[in-house]
């Protein structure tokens, strides 16, 4: 590829910049409502019974289906949750914490351990 | 350099110049209240455009900002002219470019922004803000621009550029997050 072309060079630099901008700290944290949904999903997943998307947006104690749908999309967009198919059934998607979600859970565990130590 | 490469470079200079000019107008329209003295603001959003253009388009971005600044200075900074006007535009255009090269020589940023990290981007924004404020104030102090107080004016300019660059970059991050959220398919 000819990277001496100013356009191509600018585009490649732009992609690198976007990647760095996305990794900037802050604005990643989720709000209390998203945290509540995240906790509920992780709790079910930890019991070996991950919720489906349809079940997750039916958690009426956390909000209406439309609200929970938006909230779930945000959790997925923030790479905290993953929606996956199980087996050959392509109609149902289950939810589990992503790698980043697991890092967050581990961080919370470490904080709890630190608090208990005091 | 081929004819095509020259044409592409010219387009980059032109586009960045026009966008920077529009950004300057936007700044005057919305954030005029943050002006400390003419040419110095406590919040300068086009600083983010300088960061973007120089990082993405390199020297062509710097030239674009320089050209736009020449026009801006002629139109809005009536108290300066000749060499001062030219050097003020150069400070606007090449402050970020010098910061980029300092960080490249220091090994913080690699050629082509390869593997650019968020921390390196923050360092660039910080260094650019410092150099930009320093270059502008040095030019004005050296040529005795009327009413210039180097040690008083350099700080608002530094803060204004840094705030502008950070708000711009975080605005970009917010837009990217929003786009990602809209695209996240779960069914």
């Amino acid at each position: 590829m000819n990277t001496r072309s100013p356009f191509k060079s600018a585009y490649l630099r732009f992609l690198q910049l976007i990647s760095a901008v996305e990794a900037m700290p802050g604005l990643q944290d989720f709000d209390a409502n998203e945290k509540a949904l995240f906790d509920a999903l992780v709790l079910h997943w930890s019991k070996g019974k991950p919720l489906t998307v349809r079940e997750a947006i039916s958690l009426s104690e956390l909000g209406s289906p439309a609200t929970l749908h938006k909230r779930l999309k945000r959790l997925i967009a923030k790479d905290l949750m993953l929606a996956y198919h199980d087996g050959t059934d392509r109609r149902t998607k289950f939810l589990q914490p992503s790698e980043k979600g697991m890092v967050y859970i581990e961080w919370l565990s470490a904080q709890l351990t630190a608090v208990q130590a005091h | 350099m081929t004819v095509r490469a020259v044409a592409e470079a010219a387009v980059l200079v032109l586009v960045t110049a026009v966008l920077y000019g529009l950004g300057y107008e936007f700044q005057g329209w919305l954030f005029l209240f943050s002006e400390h003295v003419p040419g110095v603001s406590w919040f300068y959003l086009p600083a983010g455009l300088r960061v973007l253009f120089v990082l993405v388009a390199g020297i062509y971005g710097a030239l674009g900002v320089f050209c736009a600044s020449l026009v801006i200075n002629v139109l809005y900074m009536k108290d300066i002219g000749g060499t001062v006007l030219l050097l003020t535009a150069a400070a606007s255009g090449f402050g970020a470019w010098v910061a980029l090269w300092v960080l490249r020589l220091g090994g913080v940023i690699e050629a082509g922004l390869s593997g650019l990290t968020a921390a390196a981007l923050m360092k660039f924004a910080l260094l650019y803000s410092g150099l930009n404020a320093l270059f502008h104030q040095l030019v004005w102090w050296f040529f005795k621009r009327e009413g210039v107080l180097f040690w008083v004016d350099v700080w608002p300019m530094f803060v204004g550029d840094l705030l502008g660059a950070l708000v711009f970059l975080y605005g970009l991050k917010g837009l990217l997050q929003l786009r990602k959220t809209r695209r996240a398919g779960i069914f």
Side-chain angles (χ1 to χ4, degrees), chain A residues 62-78:
Chain A
L62 295 178
S64 69
T67 304
L68 289 176
H69 180 255
K70 281 181 198 162
R71 219 170 275 166
L72 189 54
K73 276 181 82 171
R74 285 203 295 272
L75 285 179
I76 292 172
K78 287 174 182 174

Side-chain angles (χ1 to χ4, degrees), chain A residues 27-35 38 75 78 80 104:
Chain A
L27 297 179
Q28 290 279 354
D29 305 329
F30 43 168
D31 62 28
N33 289 324
E34 288 167 11
K35 171 83 167 56
F38 179 79
L75 285 179
K78 287 174 182 174
L80 288 162
Y104 178 68

Side-chain angles (χ1 to χ4, degrees), chain A residues 20-88:
Chain A
V21 166
E22 281 185 323
M24 275 167 28
L27 297 179
Q28 290 279 354
D29 305 329
F30 43 168
D31 62 28
N33 289 324
E34 288 167 11
K35 171 83 167 56
L37 178 60
F38 179 79
D39 288 347
L41 297 174
V42 169
L43 200 60
H44 280 86
W45 170 79
S46 68
K47 289 176 186 167
K49 293 176 183 171
L51 290 181
T52 64
V53 170
R54 208 164 288 280
E55 286 168 339
I57 62 172
S58 305
L59 296 170
S60 54
E61 69 274 18
L62 295 178
S64 69
T67 304
L68 289 176
H69 180 255
K70 281 181 198 162
R71 219 170 275 166
L72 189 54
K73 276 181 82 171
R74 285 203 295 272
L75 285 179
I76 292 172
K78 287 174 182 174
D79 294 330
L80 288 162
M81 292 301 300
L82 280 176
Y84 66 98
H85 296 290
D86 195 18
T88 52

Side-chain angles (χ1 to χ4, degrees), chain B residues 5 18 22 25 28 34 41-42 45 48 50-51 56 63 78 82-83 85 99 110 117 124 126 142-143 161 164 184 187:
Chain B
V18 170
L22 290 173
E25 289 297 330
S34 72
S41 295
W42 284 100
L45 199 56
R50 287 181 187 149
V51 167
V56 170
L63 278 169
K78 302 286 185 193
T83 312
L85 189 142
E110 289 181 34
T117 62
F124 174 73
L126 192 67
F142 188 80
F143 288 94
D161 284 340
F187 283 110

Side-chain angles (χ1 to χ4, degrees), chain A residues 20 23-25, chain B residues 108 116-125:
Chain A
M24 275 167 28
Chain B
V108 178
L116 181 72
T117 62
L121 187 57
M122 293 289 146
K123 284 177 189 168
F124 174 73

